[in-house]
Amino acid sequence: MAELDARRRKLKEDFTKARGYWSTLWDGLLELSPDFFEAYIAFSSVPWRTGVLAPKIKELIYVAIDTATTHLYAPGTYIHMRNALGYGATKEEIMEVLQLTSVLGIHTMSLGVPALIAEMQAAGRGAEVAPKPLTPYQEKLKAEFTANRGYWSEHWDGLLQLSPEFFDAYTKLSSVPWKTGTLEPKIKELIYIAIDASTTHLYLPGLRTHIQNALKHGATVQEIMEVMQLTAVLGIHTITEGVPILLEEAGKATKPTA
């Protein structure tokens, strides 16, 4: 980028001071629209100015939303892993965030199984999916899930009924960070809140469940609001992905002849 004028230099300094880093991802936006960049600084900096979560936790939230399978934004992942390490996060803590985030695919089941049951009932085949008393194996699985994850939700009832083997496998997968991880339970639940509230997912049943769990683990309304403020900036990736392409294509473009 060409030498910055006084306003743009000031905006770059303001962003770096507010957010604790600078990236070339912002160069194009700063060049093309300093007004929008100034507004984004104010928008994205609110949880950094007024929030109560430690900077390391803020960066782990960003890691979660950038690595969620509904988004998979590698440029942000590099930045926020680097920032988290700079704020004292360990490799093991970041790995734990990835483990927590990676189970997002289970929402195929938590949304799909109730839909299957409803359609079976509508087709006159409700007897095939009607709830039955749990077998000893299913009771054991329910108890293990509750012990490992610290809660039970009716959202799991259909999956436990229709495919206990799959539920067993999911319990083992999702319980690893709860058995071996070092992040406190409240932080784990804040990670789940972030990925469920993410603009590219917006999974309300899970969001409510994990807000409830976070509150039980001692989270405050300010902490949960802060997680949502951190997550709400995801839309800026329209800019960080779109502006470099705009600059590239504009540089190639030729003016139409008269």
Side-chain angles (χ1 to χ4, degrees):
M1 189 167 57
E3 185 177 350
L4 300 177
D5 60 26
R7 184 189 180 199
R8 287 175 171 83
R9 283 199 305 273
K10 176 68 163 53
L11 290 175
K12 183 174 180 178
E13 292 168 1
D14 288 347
F15 181 93
T16 305
K17 180 179 179 181
R19 298 290 307 279
Y21 79 98
W22 181 258
S23 167
T24 56
L25 282 175
W26 302 116
D27 287 347
L29 175 59
L30 183 58
E31 175 188 345
L32 292 182
S33 184
D35 291 340
F36 191 89
F37 186 66
E38 184 174 24
Y40 176 69
I41 293 172
F43 177 68
S44 68
S45 297
V46 171
W48 290 87
R49 288 188 292 102
T50 67
V52 295
L53 295 173
K56 178 183 81 172
I57 302 303
K58 289 179 170 68
E59 292 294 345
L60 293 180
I61 296 295
Y62 290 140
V63 169
I65 61 174
D66 280 350
T67 59
T69 191
T70 52
H71 197 54
L72 295 176
Y73 183 60
T77 299
Y78 277 105
I79 289 169
H80 296 297
M81 282 190 180
R82 187 181 310 125
N83 291 351
L85 291 165
Y87 283 121
T90 65
K91 180 174 62 176
E92 291 75 18
E93 286 174 327
I94 296 175
M95 187 64 219
E96 187 176 342
V97 170
L98 297 179
Q99 291 170 347
L100 292 163
T101 303
S102 70
V103 299
L104 200 67
I106 198 61
H107 295 162
T108 295
M109 291 296 182
S110 48
L111 277 183
V113 171
L116 170 61
I117 292 172
E119 293 306 319
M120 289 290 286
Q121 292 168 339
R125 297 173 58 184
E128 297 176 46
V129 294
K132 300 177 179 65
L134 297 182
T135 67
Y137 174 52
Q138 290 168 320
E139 292 281 10
K140 175 176 173 288
L141 294 181
K142 183 175 181 178
E144 287 177 351
F145 182 95
T146 305
N148 291 338
R149 298 288 306 279
Y151 80 101
W152 181 260
S153 169
E154 63 182 13
H155 299 305
W156 301 118
D157 288 343
L159 178 56
L160 180 60
Q161 284 274 347
L162 296 182
S163 185
E165 295 81 6
F166 192 89
F167 184 79
D168 187 9
Y170 170 69
T171 298
K172 289 181 171 63
L173 178 70
S174 67
S175 296
V176 170
W178 289 86
K179 289 181 173 180
T180 66
T182 58
L183 296 173
E184 63 177 295
K186 178 183 76 173
I187 301 303
K188 289 180 170 69
E189 293 294 343
L190 295 182
I191 296 296
Y192 290 139
I193 288 171
I195 61 176
D196 282 353
S198 173
T199 318
T200 53
H201 195 47
L202 297 176
Y203 180 60
L204 185 57
L207 179 59
R208 288 185 180 276
T209 293
H210 294 299
I211 287 175
Q212 292 165 9
N213 291 349
L215 292 171
K216 290 175 185 176
H217 286 299
T220 65
V221 64
Q222 291 83 5
E223 289 172 325
I224 296 172
M225 274 298 299
E226 186 174 343
V227 168
M228 291 191 282
Q229 290 169 351
L230 292 163
T231 302
V233 303
L234 206 65
I236 198 63
H237 295 163
T238 296
I239 299 294
T240 56
E241 289 287 277
V243 166
I245 297 172
L246 169 60
L247 289 169
E248 180 182 349
E249 294 303 315
K252 298 175 184 175
T254 57
K255 294 182 179 179
T257 57

